[in-house]
Amino acid sequence: MLTSILTKALYTLISFFVILNYSLLLLGTMARVRAKVQGRIGQPVWQPYIDIIKNNARRSGVTHGIMFYLGPVFRLAGGLGTYFFIPVIFGSKIFANFSFSGDVLLVMYFIFFGQLGMALGAGESGHPYSPIGVARGLAQMTAFELPFSLAVIAVAAQYGSFSITEIVAAQQGGWQNWVAFTNPFAMAAGMLAFLGMSMNNPFSIVIAPQEIPIGPPTEMHSSFLGMLQTNRAIFNGAKMVLFMNLFFGGAAHPNIFIALGIMIMKTFLIYLYVVFVGVSFPRFRTEQSIRFFLGVPTLLGLIAVIQQMI
Amino acid sequence: MSDNMNDMDQIQLFNDQGRLLNAGLPDEEKALFCDAAPQVDAPYRGIWEKFLNWARSESLWILGFGTGCGAIELRPLMTSRYDMYQYGVQPRPTPRQAGLFIIGGYASVKTMKRIVRSYEQMQGPKFVLGLGSCTVNGGMYWDSYNTINRLDHYIPVDVYIAGCMPRPEALLAGINELKKLIKEGKGENANKYAENFEWYKRNQKKIIKDWNMPDYNW
């Protein structure tokens, strides 16, 4: 019993270590990709590490109350909760995390959870721009949750399961079995919702730096900000792994390193797609992004669900 | 300055308990603000502090607050020609998260109030870069009725960049100089501000007549 708990703890730590470092390096790489688009050299790939160390090494900090403390903690819990219930590599014990039969529902909840916690923390900071950012963020999130939920319902209905592991298992045997090809409407709705979820352009109004300084984390500094940056990496990684599992067949190979390579390749391409859209389109206003999500992506999601029902 | 110092002794900052008076605030607002003076945060020792100083120098976040005409020289730094991001420098929209305050040229008394407020809201260790001759000795505004002459009488300055206006290359050279100072462990001006808080505060209060903010802005 004790051995199995300790083994699981070790596996979880390995899994956490891999996703944290991979996601931080991915953030750094994508910053460089954006820089190349703008004709710049760009920051070093390891810049996110230095930023986190620097923020945690700040000597002073100001608190605004208990919720201000708990905001980043909730956010990190949301990121970790999302990640720890998604199996990263199909068939691997080390990277199975804590996936169970209803994990896709729990993961959807955790994606929402962090934002709500952050909303409370940002609200207590007392800065007028924080609640504006929160209001925008929650409005936008409510909008993109609709196509995302429809996509997930379509996939769950397709395979008759709310378990990510079973959804991945059903997609094995070649790319033609991926949801992206067996249920393209669900994939399209999900990937459009993912644009909003990743808060890159054109859906970056939530943290619009020139307008509402930086939205919810305006007052967050020092180690509060360090925690938020760590979470940003983990949460990004978790979401990409989730979308890889739901729509692109997950990562599966008997050799764990090749499987990790597959995971890295697929998630890299998923994130590259977000960055590609981000550097190509300007920022939407909040009402524009809500109209966008309630338009074509929702229709695609509805078509996907109806397609599964008939 | 010596004449001014005599006048400044008239300005009372602390009450009997050593708390800040916050005399500029209306009574009903006093409870909303902190009345503690800044504290010196001692650095760690040895290789750990060197490592942290390296991280601090390689990740400089500029407070995006155009304080004077020199702010126009900051914009090109973000473009592909100068690309400050490759040196670990990036703009940050809020003083809470920024570590480097660039005073872009002349500082009028009205701006000085905001400069003090923003500087105090930044979390230590924090660094100040005085851009242009106006921050060194007033420059072309040296006898102006409404601008300050020496910036380091009001907030501690790490690096001055002379010129009217210095080009972005000069600004990058200044930032690299600041990086060297931080790596050598000489970027301790946040502590200097805390140690000489009374002196700085009296200087500030001498020129800012309509002081309607707390004495120390957390």
Side-chain angles (χ1 to χ4, degrees):
Chain A
M1 179 68 184
L2 187 67
T3 325
S4 68
I5 290 175
L6 285 176
T7 321
K8 191 70 193 168
L10 180 70
Y11 287 169
T12 310
L13 278 178
I14 293 173
S15 170
F16 173 72
F17 179 80
V18 167
I19 198 73
L20 178 64
N21 287 290
Y22 169 59
S23 303
L24 282 172
L25 287 173
L26 190 62
L27 285 181
T29 314
M30 288 304 167
R32 266 184 99 84
V33 170
R34 279 197 199 93
K36 296 287 183 244
V37 175
Q38 294 161 359
R40 297 186 285 116
I41 296 170
Q43 62 183 32
V45 174
W46 52 86
Q47 188 68 38
Y49 287 93
I50 306 178
D51 290 343
I52 290 176
I53 294 169
K54 193 260 324 238
N55 278 325
N56 285 312
R58 281 288 178 84
R59 295 197 194 121
S60 55
V62 182
T63 177
H64 297 272
I66 293 170
M67 273 324 292
F68 186 76
Y69 269 108
L70 288 180
V73 176
F74 278 163
R75 199 84 176 90
L76 189 62
L80 286 176
T82 311
Y83 177 67
F84 280 138
F85 289 101
I86 303 173
V88 182
I89 285 166
F90 176 64
S92 158
K93 268 190 179 170
I94 301 178
F95 292 97
N97 289 340
F98 295 93
S99 61
F100 65 103
S101 53
D103 48 8
V104 79
L105 287 178
L106 192 63
V107 164
M108 281 176 76
Y109 166 73
F110 265 123
I111 290 176
F112 220 93
F113 173 82
Q115 306 250 14
L116 292 175
M118 187 64 200
L120 292 171
E124 205 184 46
S125 74
H127 198 289
Y129 288 130
S130 298
I132 296 177
V134 167
R136 290 175 176 191
L138 291 179
Q140 193 169 284
M141 190 164 64
T142 315
F144 72 65
E145 279 283 313
L146 193 57
F148 175 59
S149 310
L150 287 170
V152 171
I153 290 168
V155 175
Q158 184 182 356
Y159 297 119
S161 169
F162 273 122
S163 155
I164 298 176
T165 311
E166 282 178 23
I167 291 172
V168 176
Q171 296 179 63
Q172 297 309 308
W175 56 266
Q176 69 278 6
N177 293 340
W178 294 359
V179 171
F181 297 100
T182 58
N183 195 351
F185 289 112
M187 187 274 289
M191 291 309 280
L192 286 172
F194 185 57
L195 290 177
M197 213 180 271
S198 55
M199 280 190 210
N200 272 292
N201 277 355
F203 304 106
S204 58
I205 193 79
V206 182
I207 52 165
Q210 286 83 15
E211 189 198 349
I212 45 164
I214 199 157
T218 306
E219 279 287 305
M220 298 289 172
H221 55 273
S222 306
S223 41
F224 299 112
L225 188 62
M227 202 185 256
L228 288 179
Q229 285 179 307
T230 315
N231 167 70
R232 186 167 159 242
I234 299 168
F235 198 36
N236 251 336
K239 282 184 292 192
M240 284 183 298
V241 170
L242 174 69
F243 277 75
M244 173 190 80
N245 281 336
L246 284 181
F247 304 120
F248 301 103
H253 197 277
N255 185 327
I256 187 91
F257 293 105
I258 297 176
L260 267 179
I262 294 172
M263 186 275 278
I264 286 173
M265 205 171 67
K266 284 184 179 174
T267 49
F268 184 88
L269 288 174
I270 291 173
Y271 201 35
L272 194 64
Y273 143 79
V274 173
V275 172
F276 185 83
V277 175
V279 295
S280 311
F281 293 98
R283 185 182 287 152
F284 273 157
R285 291 199 305 267
T286 317
E287 75 274 17
Q288 287 173 322
S289 69
I290 290 174
R291 280 200 193 106
F292 172 81
F293 284 123
L294 297 185
V296 175
T298 306
L299 272 180
L300 288 171
L302 277 175
I303 294 171
V305 172
I306 293 168
Q307 206 184 16
Q308 295 306 321
M309 295 302 161
I310 51 177
Chain B
M1 279 318 284
S2 56
D3 290 345
N4 295 348
M5 296 301 271
N6 295 333
D7 298 346
M8 283 186 289
D9 292 338
Q10 308 298 320
I11 300 170
Q12 203 188 346
L13 280 176
F14 295 99
N15 64 13
D16 298 339
Q17 285 87 42
R19 312 296 287 184
L20 289 168
L21 280 175
N22 284 342
L25 291 172
D27 284 340
E28 65 271 20
E29 283 184 16
K30 278 184 182 167
L32 298 173
F33 293 94
C34 190
D35 57 357
Q39 302 292 317
V40 174
D41 298 306
Y44 296 105
R45 287 172 187 280
I47 196 163
W48 180 239
E49 183 66 17
K50 275 189 182 165
F51 169 68
L52 295 182
N53 278 337
W54 168 80
R56 282 169 193 140
S57 71
E58 292 302 321
S59 164
L60 286 171
W61 288 0
I62 301 174
L63 176 56
F65 170 31
T67 45
C69 51
I72 200 76
E73 304 294 328
L74 284 171
R75 273 66 187 166
L77 285 186
M78 297 174 209
T79 61
S80 51
R81 180 156 178 188
Y82 300 103
D83 189 21
M84 63 180 174
Y85 294 88
Q86 61 175 306
Y87 306 108
V89 184
Q90 51 173 297
R92 209 68 192 177
T94 150
R96 290 283 188 221
Q97 299 173 2
L100 171 60
F101 198 0
I102 297 184
I103 308 298
Y106 71 86
S108 69
V109 173
K110 198 173 165 185
T111 321
M112 202 59 216
K113 198 169 162 185
R114 277 77 186 174
I115 288 176
V116 168
R117 195 155 198 178
S118 305
Y119 177 74
E120 290 178 349
Q121 282 180 358
M122 288 162 68
Q123 301 302 310
K126 49 192 170 184
F127 318 104
V128 177
L129 212 148
L131 178 67
S133 302
C134 307
T135 57
V136 184
N137 58 9
M140 63 184 280
Y141 298 100
W142 71 274
D143 59 350
S144 163
Y145 65 98
N146 201 28
T147 57
I148 55 133
N149 282 355
R150 277 190 63 176
L151 182 62
D152 59 6
H153 280 156
Y154 307 98
I155 52 172
V157 179
D158 292 88
V159 174
Y160 277 119
I161 303 167
C164 183
M165 286 307 298
R167 286 181 54 79
E169 289 97 329
L171 190 49
L172 277 181
I175 287 173
N176 281 331
E177 185 63 32
L178 176 67
K179 282 185 169 191
K180 263 188 239 162
L181 289 177
I182 299 170
K183 279 178 190 151
E184 288 166 11
K186 292 178 182 164
E188 295 296 336
N189 272 347
N191 285 340
K192 186 181 163 193
Y193 188 74
E195 279 164 9
N196 304 300
F197 181 67
E198 283 190 66
W199 187 80
Y200 281 113
K201 201 45 71 179
R202 292 207 162 106
N203 283 356
Q204 293 162 4
K205 288 206 165 188
K206 183 83 180 60
I207 56 151
I208 302 172
K209 299 295 180 193
D210 56 336
W211 190 283
N212 55 357
M213 55 185 185
D215 286 342
Y216 183 65
N217 298 280
W218 280 88

